[in-house]
Structures are given as C-alpha cells and as structure tokens.
Amino acid sequence: MEFSRPLSHLVGIGPTIAKRLELLGLFTVEDLVHHYPFRYDDFSKSTQLNEVKVGEVVTLTGEIWSIKNVYTRSRKTLTQAIFNDGTSSLELVWFNQSWLAKNLPAGSRVQISGKVSRKGSKLSILQPTWEKLAGVLLHTGRLVPIYPETFGINSKWLRQKINYLFPLIESEIIDPLSSHLSADFLDLTSALQQIHFPDNFATLNKAKKRLSFDELFDIQLATQYQRLTWQKKTVVNPWKIFGKKLTEFIHNLPFQLTNAQQRVIKEIVEDLQKSTPMNRLVQGEVGSGKTVVAAVIIYLAHLNGFKTLLMTPTEILAFQHYATLSKLLKPLGINVTIYTGSKKEREGDIVVGTHALLSDKLQADNIGLVIVDEQQRFGVEQRTKLRNRSSSPHFLTMTATPIPRTVALTLYGDLDLSIIDELPKGRKIVQTHFVPSKKRLDAYKFIADHLKVGEQVYVVTPLIEASETNQSAKAVKVEFEKLKKILPQFNLGLLHGKLKSADKQQALDNFKSKKTHLLVSTSVVEVGVDVPNATIMVIEGSERFGLAQLHQLRGRVGRAGIQSFCLLFTESEEPQLVSRIKNLETIHDGLKLAEIDLQIRGSGEIYGIRQSGRWNLKIADLSDKELAEQSKILAVKILAESPNLDKYPQLKAKLSSGLLIIAPD
Ligand code: ADP
Ligand code: MG
C-alpha cells in the first residue's frame, strides 16, 4: 500500500463512492489519513444496566433478545429491540433503519453507546451507536471520532476504512521534524493514530497539538522560503525620493493625511529606496484611506520614470479607483487609464483594472510598481502572475480584512506588514441596530425620513452563496420590487454581480450622482465602494454573514461626517443568532469583530483561507501565538541549515509539488 494510492483503487471503493469521497476532498489514502474528526463522542464510560442513571451517556455490552420493525402512521419505521446485559434489560429504538432488524437478529452480541432516557417506567436509548462484538471496537466504548461527512459516507464508514488502512501505511509515515521537536510533541505516527482513535483526552490534545504544529510549520516554511527567494532579487535602480514634490502633492490633497497614513507612506518609501523589491501588505479598516496612500506611491513611481499596474477584484472598484486617481493625478500630467473586461484603454502611466490585467494582450513594459487592492479576493496565482508582468517590480498589496497581527504574521509571513490603525478625523461611529421583525415598518419610515432630506441608502440582500449566483440575482430583484412598493416616491437602483458590466457601472453612477436614492444590492458593494452621501446601510438576512463582513458592509456609510446608520434585519430571531449580530451594535472595531468570528466560526472561514486555497488548514488555530512562534523558529532554522531543503527531501517535495501552494518565481 502506498500513501499516494488513489482511494478508487481500493477494494470496496467503486466509482460512486470515489465520487462522494471527492466531495470531501479525499482522493488518496494520504488524504483519508489526514481527514481529521471535528469532534468526538465520549462513549468511554462502560457500565452495567443496573447502575445506569437517566441522562447518562454510557456504553453497555450484552445481547439482543428481540428486535422488530414498527411502522408509524406518518410512514416512518421504528426499529425496537430489547437489549440485556446480564443485569437488566432496556429498549433500543432506531428511526428509519429497518435493515437493522435483519442485521442484528435476536441473539446478536453487541456493544452499544448512547444516552439513557426514560420511557414510561422503562429505560431506553434512542438511536444508539452499536457494533457487534468482534475484533477491535471502533464505534462504541471509547472516544469515538465524528468526521465531516457527505451523502453515503458516514463516520462509521470512515472509521472502518481508516482503521483498516492505518496499519498498512504506518511504515510509510516519515516524520522529517522528529529530531527537532521536544518531548512535548508526539511523533507523527502516534499523532495520526491518536487523532482518529484517541486513548483519552490527554493524548487527543497532544495529537491535536502536533498536527496543528505541522500545519503552521508548513505555512511558515513556505512563506519564509518565499521571503528568502524574494530577498535575492534586486531592482534595477533604487528609487529616488523627490521629497519636495511628494510633500507638495500631499499638501494639495483635499484633506490632511492621518498620522497612520503618513507612517505607512514612510514605511513604503523606505522600502523603495532599497535594492531589493518591496513586498508589503497594507492592512487598514474600511474607510481608513488606503487609496490615497496608493496614489502617493503611484506618483512617486511616475517621478522615478516607472509605470504602475493596479488590480482590483471587481469592475466597479476598478472604475472607482480610476475616477479617484484621475482626479488626483491627471492634473500632474499623469495618464491614468482603465483596463477591464468591458473597457480596454491603451497603455497609460497607471493602468487600473481587474484580472483582465493578467491578459497577455495588455502591453506592459517599464512597470516599476504593482498594486493589488483587496488582495484577499485574489488567489496567490493571480497575484503572482500580475507581479511577474515585470521582472522585479515593487509589490504592494492592500486589504481591509481585519486580521489580528499574530495571524497576519503567520498567513503573510512572506510580506512586510503596515497597518493603518486610525480613521480620518470627524468620522462618526455608524449607529448600528438589530431590527426585530415587529419594528420593520418603523425602520422603513426612518429610511424614508432620511431619503427625504437628500441622504442615500443601501439595501443589501442576504448572502446566498459565497459567490454571485443566478439565485442571488433573483433574490435581489424580488427585494427591489418589494421596496419600490414600500417607497414609491423615491428612485431605486439595482446592482448585482450578474449584471453586464456597463449596467453595473450605470447603476453605481446613478447612485453616485443621486439619480437613484436607494440602491438595492447583493454584497458586491462590500468591497471598496465609496459614495460619501450614503448614510444608511440596511442588511437583510444579516445572520448569514460573518461579523467582519457585516462590518465591511457597514463601512460603506459614515464616510462624510454625517451621522450614519446600519440596520440589521435577520430571517430568524433565534436568540443565539441575534446575540451574535448584536455585537455590531456595541463593537466598532473590525479586529475585535473578527476575533469574535474566530471564536464562533473558526479561522478558516474568517480569513477566507478555505476559499483562497492558499493554505490547507484543517486543525490549526491561527491565533495560537505559541505554536505560531515555535513553528516559525523551526522553519527559519531549517532553512538556515539547508536553504534548498536538500537535507529534507520530504519537505522539499511538498514545497515544490505545490502542496504548500507557493507562488512560483
Ligand atoms: P479604504 O481604506 O476603505 O480603501 P478609501 O481609500 O476608499 O478607504 O477612503 C475612504 C474615504 O475617505 C474616501 O472618500 C477618501 O477620500 C477619504 N479619506 C482618505 N483619507 C482621508 C483623510 N486623511 N482625511 C479625510 N478623508 C480621507
Ligand atoms: Mg479601498
């Protein structure tokens, strides 16, 4: 048996099952071994029936005395069995598993686990987990792993397969880190064995720690390797600073830069004077003013005789940046152009565009600066491809995603980090209210009152899927029609990802120029759209969004010093959901909200790691500072000892096979 063998080659796994396993991301034996449980049922308490109490979760060993199927009026099947363990009897009940009556005939010796309940004067267990007493016990009487499942592939199936495969591949597990790790860490084989079939909670935690370490180490190794590679590059000429001209430009801006903006510009300018190309991430809350920072640097590129490419995730944003930068830079004789799917202008000094910029058709020479806005929306491959449009340009990425510093240092260990941690003066906090359904009409009146005085409103419809679909287009149209009836005296606009790009632009232009007063939109407005006169953000089905994402949406209002509001509607008023949403009423710090999201939903969902596919995190918690630090130290040490990883063939293979999705250089 080899680790890399496709699961479809195993006995008992036909094409149908193989397809289902693929849905879980499982292609090879190795994938299956790394398919970790997400929780465990504690069935480790073995006891006897004459000692059990109602409400306890127990494991019992005994015999099926009788078993039969009963059909209810609602056409469900109940399978009822009498189980006896030598001390007493109780009833077992399963729903819709009529095949059990044949599978567990009277006389079967079984072990069962489950929660004891009372049925009249008798004890019973509903839906017990069971297994016949033969060989190793996997499903009862221990900490029993529960896995991510899919139709036709349940945890019982996964347990059996993993238990069968493990001894066959055990000898192939190589632990390249073993000699570097202290006794605190389990060896890799034990960790993998214990994560599936833990002896107890203590060893389970050790297994989690070891496997988490490995995941974080993989990231650290890839990013540190990347950083070293990057540091070997040189730029043709370090840039000159043009201090006087820059100061003048900054002085002529319509506002004064915040201290944070100034600091970040300084950090960038320092990079640009070096002979290695810059590779920096600017992180700043929505509305913190990243665009103008970019404008200053673009101007500097121009003064140094270089062109700039600026890539945005959406066409709307590209046009918006195009407009902003034109206003700031055209008076200085800089030719700003746009390059998107729908509008392709001849090469300019600065080309603003979407991923269309990646096309070979765009003539691009003498590029000295490459900027990616809202970088979390792009995959590494896209960012790298853009950067590689020129031999070694300075590279600047920007994000509004609030990522705690430790997490950012791990995830983006290959980048230097600058944080704009201050909003421009005069920004008022966006007053945020959860609106229960009984107050919906009041909310519409409130909206109408604000529209009457010339303010503008966004209404965002619920998130249906991660990306824009026909379904979300339909939902937003329904909302549009509904609101037209509720607010007939106002002009409404409609915006969603499925519109033709000219129509999208039209919808946004109409809103900006106040031809429309209220814009009904999917969450496409989330990234970067800037309409200062908008003062109310209404979000429907807000429980479907992450808190950090809601915060981004709410950042679309409150941009011009006018008191602004965010009204959060939900589809369900379940207390747990509502209390999560209500965090937005009191917390106005994107980072804090991201941390709450982190606790509730786990790091993978929050930072878009799973979608971006940059890292394959299954078990590690990115906010675990200690492990992050330890794994970084080891990665740096290993790369110092063996820069090309020749001493570590497994690590090298992993790195170059792209398993650690790393940008090729
Ligand atoms: P983001 O960081 O979310 O990309 P933008 O760059 O779109 O933010 O800026 C948001 C708004 O704030 C814009 O209208 C911009 O003109 C304005 N702005 C940027 N910096 C300042 C500042 N220092 N003072 C006042 N307004 C500013
Ligand atoms: Mg922006």
Side-chain angles (χ1 to χ4, degrees):
M1 180 73 56
E2 332 78 75
F3 236 19
S4 58
R5 177 182 289 209
L7 290 167
S8 56
H9 290 189
L10 302 183
V11 179
I13 300 189
T16 316
I17 293 187
K19 273 258 145 46
R20 290 175 183 167
L21 289 167
E22 285 176 18
L23 290 178
L24 290 170
L26 306 178
F27 298 86
T28 64
V29 171
E30 183 168 14
D31 294 338
L32 192 58
V33 171
H34 288 281
H35 188 60
Y36 306 142
F38 66 94
R39 75 178 171 83
Y40 300 80
D41 277 334
D42 185 358
F43 291 153
S44 56
K45 187 179 156 86
S46 286
T47 183
Q48 291 192 320
L49 262 178
N50 58 359
E51 287 170 358
V52 303
K53 294 189 200 75
V54 174
E56 267 184 325
V57 175
V58 296
T59 292
L60 300 160
T61 307
E63 191 180 315
I64 301 288
W65 276 11
S66 68
I67 189 161
K68 64 173 187 233
N69 286 328
V70 179
Y71 300 92
T72 67
R73 247 182 267 153
S74 53
R75 295 178 175 235
K76 294 213 171 86
T77 315
L78 293 184
T79 305
Q80 296 173 334
I82 301 296
F83 167 90
N84 182 291
D85 76 342
T87 67
S88 181
S89 295
L90 97 171
E91 189 184 47
L92 309 176
V93 181
W94 290 274
F95 307 110
N96 290 327
Q97 296 184 52
S98 55
W99 51 275
L100 279 178
K102 274 217 186 83
N103 214 277
L104 285 179
S108 303
R109 300 270 304 148
V110 291
Q111 181 157 291
I112 54 165
S113 292
K115 190 171 177 177
V116 180
S117 57
R118 185 186 297 283
K119 193 179 171 194
S121 61
K122 285 187 279 178
L123 295 180
S124 75
I125 297 183
L126 300 181
Q127 294 283 72
T129 309
W130 60 272
E131 63 192 308
K132 290 190 184 171
L133 286 178
V136 210
L137 293 169
L138 296 177
H139 315 297
T140 59
R142 51 159 38 255
L143 290 179
V144 176
I146 310 294
Y147 296 91
E149 301 177 346
T150 186
F151 178 75
I153 307 284
N154 61 20
S155 288
K156 204 163 185 174
W157 189 96
L158 288 161
R159 272 172 229 143
Q160 264 154 353
K161 270 289 177 279
I162 292 168
N163 178 61
Y164 161 76
L165 286 170
F166 203 83
L168 304 179
I169 46 90
E170 204 173 341
S171 62
E172 276 186 61
I173 299 174
I174 297 168
D175 187 352
L177 305 183
S178 58
S179 64
H180 294 283
L181 291 176
S182 72
D184 274 3
F185 288 93
L186 288 184
D187 65 275
L188 186 55
T189 309
S190 316
L192 285 169
Q193 200 271 332
Q194 289 293 316
I195 201 75
H196 293 294
F197 301 109
D199 294 340
N200 52 51
F201 279 112
T203 53
L204 172 60
N205 286 336
K206 283 196 155 183
K208 282 183 181 164
K209 180 174 169 185
R210 170 61 209 262
L211 298 172
S212 301
F213 181 90
D214 282 21
E215 283 184 358
L216 294 173
F217 174 83
D218 283 353
I219 298 179
Q220 304 283 11
L221 187 72
T223 54
Q224 293 307 317
Y225 181 81
Q226 184 78 338
R227 180 180 270 275
L228 291 174
T229 312
W230 187 262
Q231 280 168 356
K232 280 186 214 132
K233 291 171 171 255
T234 50
V235 291
V236 187
N237 287 314
W239 289 17
K240 296 203 187 65
I241 295 317
F242 295 92
K244 224 172 134 191
K245 288 202 159 147
L246 276 198
T247 314
E248 197 178 291
F249 177 72
I250 289 171
H251 188 77
N252 285 335
L253 290 170
F255 41 71
Q256 198 184 346
L257 291 181
T258 62
N259 290 331
Q261 283 170 318
Q262 290 179 35
R263 190 190 67 240
V264 169
I265 290 173
K266 207 169 140 230
E267 286 166 1
I268 295 173
V269 169
E270 269 165 25
D271 285 354
L272 299 173
Q273 289 168 269
K274 294 183 188 153
S275 52
T276 42
M278 165 169 78
N279 193 15
R280 185 170 286 278
L281 173 67
V282 172
Q283 187 194 326
E285 277 257 19
V286 268
S288 61
K290 294 182 289 295
T291 317
V292 68
V293 170
V296 174
I297 306 307
I298 293 165
Y299 179 48
L300 188 58
H302 176 73
L303 292 173
N304 277 282
F306 290 112
K307 293 176 182 170
T308 299
L309 293 180
L310 191 165
M311 182 164 75
T312 67
T314 65
E315 201 151 17
I316 293 176
L317 204 49
F319 276 96
Q320 183 180 290
H321 280 342
Y322 169 70
T324 310
L325 294 173
S326 297
K327 217 191 279 169
L328 292 170
L329 299 171
K330 274 193 175 155
L332 300 161
I334 301 173
N335 182 17
V336 184
T337 56
I338 181 117
Y339 200 90
T340 68
S342 66
K343 190 165 183 201
K344 297 187 169 59
E345 289 182 350
R346 219 171 36 81
E347 186 189 354
D349 300 321
I350 148 108
V351 188
V352 183
T354 54
H355 56 269
L357 290 175
L358 302 174
S359 144
D360 295 328
K361 287 188 198 123
L362 174 72
Q363 296 279 313
D365 45 289
N366 199 28
I367 305 293
L369 174 64
V370 171
I371 305 178
V372 177
D373 192 22
E374 306 293 351
Q375 60 88 27
Q376 74 282 1
R377 295 280 167 139
F378 293 101
V380 206
E381 296 80 6
Q382 286 173 308
R383 297 200 295 255
T384 309
K385 198 164 172 206
L386 184 72
R387 192 181 68 201
N388 289 349
R389 302 236 34 165
S390 171
S391 62
S392 45
H394 291 295
F395 192 49
L396 183 67
T397 51
M398 307 198 286
T399 182
T401 307
I403 306 176
R405 197 178 180 96
T406 29
V407 176
L409 287 176
T410 302
L411 275 184
Y412 301 113
D414 48 340
L415 311 176
D416 292 309
L417 189 62
S418 286
I419 304 180
I420 309 186
D421 50 4
E422 182 187 355
L423 292 180
K425 276 201 209 74
R427 288 277 162 80
K428 293 206 174 106
I429 275 180
V430 178
Q431 273 190 34
T432 303
H433 302 282
F434 159 71
V435 186
S437 56
K438 61 176 191 283
K439 292 222 173 137
R440 189 174 269 271
L441 289 180
D442 296 343
Y444 288 130
K445 182 165 181 309
F446 180 84
I447 290 167
D449 288 345
H450 282 263
L451 288 170
K452 265 181 218 151
V453 297
E455 294 174 17
Q456 288 172 286
V457 176
Y458 293 102
V459 175
V460 172
T461 51
L463 190 71
I464 291 176
E465 265 166 39
S467 60
E468 292 269 308
T469 57
N470 289 326
Q471 226 190 334
S472 44
K474 211 191 266 169
V476 73
K477 277 180 223 154
V478 170
E479 183 69 21
F480 176 72
E481 294 303 329
K482 185 185 110 188
L483 286 170
K484 269 211 295 207
K485 287 187 196 118
I486 297 174
L487 299 162
Q489 66 275 45
F490 302 104
N491 293 332
L492 273 54
L494 175 65
L495 179 64
H496 58 81
K498 291 273 158 180
L499 286 178
K500 284 207 202 83
S501 81
D503 294 339
K504 267 190 238 168
Q505 194 50 42
Q506 190 64 51
L508 211 67
D509 285 346
N510 287 345
F511 192 58
K512 272 193 176 166
S513 64
K514 305 186 192 174
K515 274 196 197 120
T516 52
H517 309 116
L518 183 150
L519 185 63
V520 189
S521 170
T522 55
S523 53
V524 290
V525 295
E526 176 198 350
V527 275
V529 172
D530 187 28
V531 178
N533 190 52
T535 58
I536 301 181
M537 167 62 70
V538 179
I539 304 169
E540 293 285 348
S542 57
E543 75 271 32
R544 298 190 188 213
F545 296 89
L547 297 181
Q549 203 183 357
L550 291 170
H551 180 69
Q552 301 265 68
L553 283 167
R554 133 173 107 176
R556 298 302 114 224
V557 297
R559 302 200 135 216
I562 315 171
Q563 181 58 59
S564 298
F565 303 88
C566 175
L567 305 181
L568 301 166
F569 291 113
T570 56
E571 287 164 2
S572 146
E573 285 179 18
E574 203 184 299
Q576 235 180 334
L577 294 178
V578 171
S579 78
R580 184 175 78 91
I581 294 304
K582 275 179 162 264
N583 280 307
L584 285 143
E585 292 184 346
T586 50
I587 302 174
H588 294 268
D589 174 344
L591 260 182
K592 283 217 184 94
L593 291 167
E595 273 157 14
I596 296 172
D597 266 342
L598 186 68
Q599 285 159 14
I600 300 177
R601 303 202 304 175
S603 54
E605 310 306 326
I606 309 313
Y607 304 119
I609 297 158
R610 291 196 220 289
Q611 293 100 297
S612 79
R614 187 175 193 192
W615 310 116
N616 192 6
L617 285 179
K618 292 181 193 145
I619 193 167
D621 173 1
L622 282 166
S623 55
D624 186 332
K625 285 186 197 167
E626 200 183 315
L627 273 194
E629 194 53 38
Q630 284 176 327
S631 59
K632 181 171 176 178
I633 290 170
L634 183 56
V636 169
K637 182 175 157 200
I638 283 181
L639 285 169
E641 180 195 332
S642 181
N644 289 318
L645 295 173
D646 290 333
K647 285 197 199 159
Y648 297 88
Q650 293 83 24
L651 296 179
K652 185 171 181 147
K654 215 171 178 186
L655 200 69
S656 50
S657 71
L659 266 180
L660 313 179
I661 303 170
I662 190 142
D665 266 292

